[in-house]
Amino acid sequence: LRVTEARTGEPVAGARLEGITTGDCPDGFRVSGRTDEVGTARVFCVPCSYRISVEPPAGRRLLRRVWQGDVACGDGVSVELERGAVLRGSVHDERDRPVARLRVIARPAVGGWREATTDEQGRFELRGIHANTWRIDLARARSPEASRGKVLVRPDAPSGSLERIDPSVTIDSLEEEAA
């Protein structure tokens, strides 16, 4: 298995992979490994259909990817990891005053959630955003109540394009994360 960064084609060393057979294959056969300095992982293989999760190494601003397909042993499988985006915004109350120490929780339709806390000016920053529809929840620490809104991060839109959400949340920018 070879793992590269989608934008640059550079190998991704230290990526962790976990896979399991699917379909008509022996149920539950697992493979795992880590990519070497040239982005390659060699694992024991049974010719089958697999679902393989590739987790980028810590510190790399790349998104986790799940690959699914048929593997004939000896075939090369390539997986490209996309760079995430940073979503920056601010939260203000009904009188347009910044709201500090508010939890901003972003939950995508598919995948893991992201969380940030607003600063004294009501600003927040969420990293690792990928193309998806995100539900934004706002909550005080230790409060079960939350207000909700949605933001759509479109895969086909240029960087910085997104749709408006809850009127109390202002999205300032959506930018590709730096390396």
Side-chain angles (χ1 to χ4, degrees), residues 146-165:
S147 66
R148 295 184 173 163
K150 282 191 177 177
V151 59
L152 176 64
V153 179
R154 297 185 345 215
D156 58 342
S159 180
S161 295
L162 43 83
E163 292 182 12
R164 184 102 169 105
I165 57 170

Side-chain angles (χ1 to χ4, degrees), residues 16-178:
R16 185 173 51 88
L17 62 104
E18 300 282 332
I20 190 165
T21 55
T22 61
D24 295 332
C25 296
D27 204 20
F29 181 77
R30 296 181 179 274
V31 295
S32 65
R34 238 181 231 290
T35 57
D36 59 19
E37 63 279 349
V38 294
T40 302
R42 292 180 186 6
V43 296
F44 179 76
C45 174
V46 172
C48 233
S49 293
Y50 285 87
R51 179 177 169 85
I52 299 173
S53 171
V54 180
E55 188 74 35
R60 294 287 302 264
R61 304 287 187 196
L62 299 171
L63 300 172
R64 177 180 169 270
R65 169 99 191 275
V66 175
W67 177 90
Q68 190 159 338
D70 294 327
V71 175
C73 297
D75 285 355
V77 173
S78 294
V79 177
E80 291 183 332
L81 298 182
E82 298 286 339
R83 192 174 297 259
V86 180
L87 181 66
R88 293 183 180 90
S90 58
V91 180
H92 292 81
D93 66 14
E94 60 281 348
R95 294 188 191 135
D96 203 31
R97 295 178 300 200
V99 180
R101 294 177 300 285
L102 188 69
R103 290 174 51 219
V104 179
I105 306 142
R107 292 181 173 88
V110 176
W113 53 272
R114 308 287 185 268
E115 183 172 338
T117 302
T118 58
D119 64 14
E120 294 302 316
Q121 288 78 40
R123 295 181 302 223
F124 65 90
E125 182 176 282
L126 295 164
R127 294 187 168 277
I129 300 297
H130 52 85
N132 211 326
T133 298
W134 293 78
R135 185 181 82 210
I136 305 291
D137 294 336
L138 305 174
R140 290 265 175 221
R142 299 188 205 116
S143 171
E145 295 181 27
S147 66
R148 295 184 173 163
K150 282 191 177 177
V151 59
L152 176 64
V153 179
R154 297 185 345 215
D156 58 342
S159 180
S161 295
L162 43 83
E163 292 182 12
R164 184 102 169 105
I165 57 170
D166 184 293
S168 64
V169 178
T170 302
I171 302 300
D172 297 324
S173 66
L174 175 68
E175 304 166 356
E176 184 177 276
E177 289 196 66

